[in-house]
Amino acid sequence: MKVENQADVGIVKELLNYLVEEEDEIIREITEKTCSIIENNAPSRRWQVDQIIKVLTLAGKYINDESICCLLQLIAATPEIQAYSILKMFSALEQNMMQEALAKVTLWCIGEFGHLMHTGDVRLDKDAVFKVINGLLEQKCSKGVKAYILNSCIKLYSRFEGNIPQVNAIFNRLAKDTDVDIQQRAFEYSNIVKSTRLTLAQKKGLLEEIPVSRISANIFNSRPVDIGGEVKAAPQREVVQLTFGGA
């Protein structure tokens, strides 16, 4: 059955309304059922993105990793909705910065498809993006969100030909983080940016878009970058693989 008429769409709307009224365990169950209905009965991919963003906004902490990965795979596999998805997610995040899952998904999309921020109907200013990123850091976001911030920033550096001074500022800030893993990641990414041994083209090669098949629900556990010795393409690509979850 496809969600093709107002009655079917109304079912999803009604379920979304329950997400703001019920207790935790009930919300968790409703969230899973809502996501399942959306994923299995969406009349279009854009509609599916819109509805999952609503779930992320209302009950992000209850949405499971499988639904999030389904959304990321959908966006990665559908170029015609990538710019649209960035704008919709960013607009939602500006108003709901405490929703961690929404923050992670938005940061992932900005990192992967940041080069689309000024195409077609999308006009997303870089300064606005970094204002939100710094806002997330100011509110003492989790280790998982910080990991996504780092990955998003290193990818934006590549997408915009390395001309983003805000990236270095964020790397410097997180290199002093209280979490050792975040410190190390920030230091490694900063070294990539500052490296004179790598051309910009080589850096962009290390930070290419992630194939749909590699989008997974694993916890933040990618390998560190070794830029002190010979550059090895495969291991360094692994370090920018965005994985979902985290502390």
Side-chain angles (χ1 to χ4, degrees), residues 11 25-26 33 37 43 47 52 65 69 98 100 116 118 135 155 182 213 233 247:
I11 292 173
E25 284 307 312
I26 298 176
K33 289 182 178 179
I37 292 172
W47 185 89
I52 295 296
D65 290 349
C69 287
M98 297 302 294
E100 182 167 321
L116 301 175
H118 293 86
K155 293 231 172 180
I182 295 298
S213 61

Side-chain angles (χ1 to χ4, degrees), residues 25-184:
E25 284 307 312
I26 298 176
I27 292 177
R28 190 179 305 279
E29 182 178 353
I30 293 174
T31 299
E32 291 180 5
K33 289 182 178 179
T34 303
C35 289
S36 177
I37 292 172
I38 292 168
E39 291 160 10
N40 294 322
N41 301 288
S44 71
R45 295 185 174 187
R46 179 176 289 204
W47 185 89
Q48 183 173 342
V49 168
D50 287 343
Q51 303 313 307
I52 295 296
I53 289 175
K54 289 179 183 177
V55 176
L56 286 166
T57 299
L58 295 171
K61 70 178 181 179
Y62 301 103
I63 194 169
N64 60 42
D65 290 349
E66 289 73 21
S67 291
I68 289 171
C69 287
C70 179
L71 175 65
L72 298 184
Q73 289 168 348
L74 172 71
I75 295 170
T78 316
E80 61 268 26
I81 66 169
Q82 289 168 357
Y84 172 82
S85 299
I86 291 175
L87 190 58
K88 289 286 289 187
M89 288 179 180
F90 184 78
S91 296
L93 181 59
E94 281 186 303
Q95 304 300 319
N96 300 274
M97 293 179 65
M98 297 302 294
Q99 289 287 3
E100 182 167 321
L102 177 62
K104 290 178 178 179
V105 170
T106 303
L107 289 165
W108 185 91
C109 285
I110 289 173
E112 288 299 296
F113 312 118
H115 58 290
L116 301 175
M117 292 196 308
H118 293 86
T119 60
D121 295 329
V122 178
R123 290 292 182 268
L124 188 55
D125 184 71
K126 284 187 290 185
D127 289 338
V129 170
F130 284 100
K131 180 179 178 180
V132 167
I133 289 175
N134 282 304
L136 290 168
L137 292 173
E138 289 295 334
Q139 67 182 27
K140 302 186 185 303
C141 58
S142 70
K143 174 181 176 179
V145 172
K146 289 176 183 176
Y148 273 75
I149 287 172
L150 286 168
N151 279 312
S152 182
C153 285
I154 192 67
K155 293 231 172 180
L156 283 174
Y157 165 84
S158 168
R159 305 287 184 263
F160 287 96
E161 307 296 325
N163 187 27
I164 305 184
Q166 299 99 319
V167 167
N168 284 323
I170 288 173
F171 289 163
N172 290 337
R173 177 175 183 166
L174 289 177
K176 302 172 185 176
D177 194 78
T178 55
D179 187 277
V180 175
D181 291 335
I182 295 298
Q183 284 183 23
Q184 181 180 357

